[in-house]
Amino acid sequence: MEKVVIIGGGYAGIYALRELVKNKNIKITLIDKHTFHNLQPEVYDLIANKSNIADVTIDLTTLCLGFNHNYLEYKNLKVRKIDQESKKIFTEEQEIVEYDYLIMAAGTRTFFPPQIPGLNNAHDIKKLHWAMFFKQSFENQLFKKIQDEAKKCDDTHIVVVGAGLSGVEIAAEMAYNSKMFFQRGNFSCDNLKISLVSSSDTILPGLTPELVSISHKRLKSLGINVITNTKLQKCEDGFAYLSNGTKIYNSFLIFTGGVEANKITEELDVAKNPKGQIIVNEFMQSDKDPKIFAIGDAAEIKNKKGEIMPPNVTIARISGTNAGKNILRMIEKKRLVKCDPKLDGILIALGGKYAAGNIADLFHVKGRLAYEIKKYVFSSYRKPLLKLIKAGYSKLKKMS
């Protein structure tokens, strides 16, 4: 029986799994150090108190049970070494997992440049436990302000470094949330400030000028101080020192300035880019081993024009589905299918029930309409997974 292993239970890994389970006669193992699939784009709703942990996670144990595949298993393990010659995966828990086909879907993590002193104290909200910690810190900061407002009303300043999608969305949600908080309570001490720092000459580099303009206006309306063409140089004694010569005293700093591949990819002897992402061909295969695939954020994926695709859920879906299909086709000795990644569009949450988007490069939307489209897209992904974990949960209860 052919053995297929997926390392990483994120968006790409789940899409690959949904394809692989169509073959009931292969052994599939999903490995992840976490027990849940983190719905990363919705974490900002969690921080803004619009959802809870159950809304932004999918349990991997019940999900795998819900697929109703006799040879599918989920293993909660930390991968430490991959031996390509023996096709064995070694884990921190001393368990060895063998494979015939391997899908690398371990994603990326926030890259903290070592040349910036003090950056190790910054928050990384890509990880759910840090998002929870940040949520609590933010709420504690708001509470401290109303607790002390009769005596003093010190400035509270939050600095977000990096004005890509993550930085813009988290800054907007914080600004909107704090604004509503002070309005609802009629609190006088509402001087919480948020600065968004971009090293580029604009926010959201790479997106359309119209989308950048809509987002910039929204951030300004929320009172966010947008600083462009500026880099963070160091963090020291509660101050953020910027390349434009200014220093900002801050209560806490969030860094979203870049990503790098998960350390697991370092174990593989395959071509990688400077970020550590595995360079794949049009079939999602690595260069030295056609039975090792890489998908989602873990891979450098190009379209037919040779352009590198940005890491997002759409590319995770396309690459994950393609890798799953191609492994099944390899097993069945069929010709592989080329991946043709295209963006359906992009939607950005900009605080409250307001969003902005570019739909398939055809038109732009903003406001409540864009927000509802974004919620629909998320719901259409989450709904079938909820059905699976519900079935898996019922199965688990019958077993116990």
Side-chain angles (χ1 to χ4, degrees):
M1 182 179 285
E2 299 280 10
K3 300 182 288 292
V4 185
V5 173
I6 304 170
I7 298 178
Y11 284 95
I14 297 301
Y15 275 113
L17 181 59
R18 288 165 81 166
E19 285 300 314
L20 291 168
V21 294
K22 291 175 182 177
N23 187 330
K24 302 296 181 183
N25 298 310
I26 59 173
K27 183 179 180 183
I28 308 166
T29 304
L30 174 65
I31 299 176
D32 199 299
K33 64 181 179 180
H34 298 297
T35 58
F36 52 84
H37 163 35
N38 179 13
L39 303 172
Q40 177 64 33
E42 303 308 308
V43 166
Y44 310 112
D45 276 0
L46 175 71
I47 291 168
N49 285 317
K50 289 194 280 186
S51 62
N52 59 44
I53 291 179
D55 297 320
V56 299
T57 57
I58 296 291
D59 182 71
L60 292 176
T61 300
T62 50
L63 177 69
C64 287
L65 282 171
F67 278 114
N68 199 29
H69 188 289
N70 290 335
Y71 307 110
L72 166 62
E73 60 182 357
Y74 157 65
K75 289 183 178 288
N76 179 214
L77 302 170
K78 289 183 181 178
V79 175
R80 283 292 172 258
K81 184 182 177 185
I82 301 169
D83 189 322
Q84 288 168 249
E85 196 172 328
S86 65
K87 295 186 183 296
K88 289 180 180 178
I89 298 164
F90 297 86
T91 66
E92 194 175 280
E93 294 79 4
Q94 306 301 312
E95 187 171 344
I96 298 172
V97 182
E98 296 183 353
Y99 69 88
D100 295 305
Y101 297 86
L102 175 62
I103 298 179
M104 296 296 295
T108 56
R109 57 185 183 174
T110 300
F111 173 63
F112 293 95
Q115 66 269 28
I116 302 179
L119 194 55
N120 55 323
N121 294 319
H123 292 75
D124 175 12
I125 56 167
K126 276 180 76 73
K127 296 175 182 174
L128 188 58
H129 70 283
W130 279 114
M132 287 298 297
F133 175 77
F134 167 70
K135 171 183 164 74
Q136 292 166 352
S137 300
F138 182 51
E139 289 175 345
N140 285 339
Q141 200 66 47
L142 293 176
F143 176 69
K144 188 174 182 301
K145 290 189 75 62
I146 63 171
Q147 192 178 37
D148 295 344
E149 72 169 347
K151 303 172 194 169
K152 57 184 178 179
C153 192
D154 293 339
D155 282 352
T156 296
H157 207 140
I158 298 168
V159 176
V160 180
V161 178
L165 279 173
S166 295
V168 166
E169 289 192 325
I170 187 59
E173 286 294 358
M174 280 193 304
Y176 180 83
N177 197 30
S178 61
K179 193 175 182 181
M180 291 302 101
F181 173 84
F182 289 116
Q183 279 185 11
R184 276 198 302 267
N186 294 300
F187 298 117
S188 60
C189 196
D190 61 350
N191 61 345
L192 186 141
K193 296 175 183 174
I194 297 172
S195 287
L196 178 65
V197 181
S198 173
S199 60
S200 303
D201 57 1
T202 181
I203 60 169
L204 302 169
L207 300 190
T208 65
E210 189 172 346
L211 194 50
V212 169
S213 176
I214 293 168
S215 302
H216 197 277
K217 285 177 184 174
R218 172 64 174 175
L219 296 179
K220 285 289 188 183
S221 73
L222 291 171
I224 295 169
N225 179 31
V226 179
I227 306 168
T228 56
N229 281 316
T230 304
K231 293 182 179 180
L232 175 68
Q233 292 187 317
K234 68 174 179 177
C235 306
E236 188 177 83
D237 300 326
F239 285 92
Y241 292 81
L242 307 180
S243 61
N244 63 4
T246 63
K247 65 176 184 177
I248 304 173
Y249 182 76
N250 59 87
S251 303
F252 47 88
L253 184 145
I254 300 164
F255 189 81
T256 65
V259 297
E260 63 180 351
N262 194 295
K263 269 197 169 295
I264 299 167
T265 60
E266 292 177 8
E267 288 294 318
L268 291 173
D269 179 25
V270 294
K272 296 184 275 284
N273 67 12
K275 292 180 181 178
Q277 294 166 304
I278 297 169
I279 297 171
V280 295
N281 63 15
E282 64 269 39
F283 307 116
M284 298 296 103
Q285 296 165 303
S286 63
D287 64 333
K288 293 183 180 177
D289 189 337
K291 291 189 176 183
I292 294 180
F293 292 71
I295 55 178
D297 295 1
E300 179 183 284
I301 301 167
K302 294 180 180 178
N303 62 15
K304 285 185 176 178
K305 296 178 184 176
E307 300 165 330
I308 297 174
M309 303 306 291
N312 63 25
V313 177
T314 300
I315 303 305
R317 170 177 57 80
I318 294 169
S319 61
T321 301
N322 181 261
K325 281 181 179 177
N326 279 334
I327 287 177
L328 295 185
R329 293 182 79 85
M330 283 182 81
I331 291 170
E332 295 162 6
K333 305 287 190 285
K334 292 181 180 178
R335 182 180 292 179
L336 302 189
V337 179
K338 289 183 180 181
C339 185
D340 183 19
K342 293 175 183 174
L343 287 175
D344 303 329
I346 192 159
L347 291 159
I348 308 165
L350 291 169
K353 293 182 178 180
Y354 190 104
N358 174 18
I359 310 300
D361 272 339
L362 297 174
F363 59 93
H364 290 82
V365 287
K366 64 179 180 179
R368 181 66 181 265
L369 174 61
Y371 172 82
E372 293 299 339
I373 294 172
K374 191 175 191 298
K375 297 311 287 183
Y376 172 76
V377 170
F378 172 62
S379 176
S380 64
Y381 171 77
R382 185 170 174 260
K383 224 172 196 176
L385 296 186
L386 289 178
K387 194 174 178 182
L388 286 166
I389 62 173
K390 189 175 180 181
Y393 183 75
S394 298
K395 192 175 179 181
L396 189 66
K397 286 297 172 187
K398 288 176 184 176
M399 290 162 58
S400 59

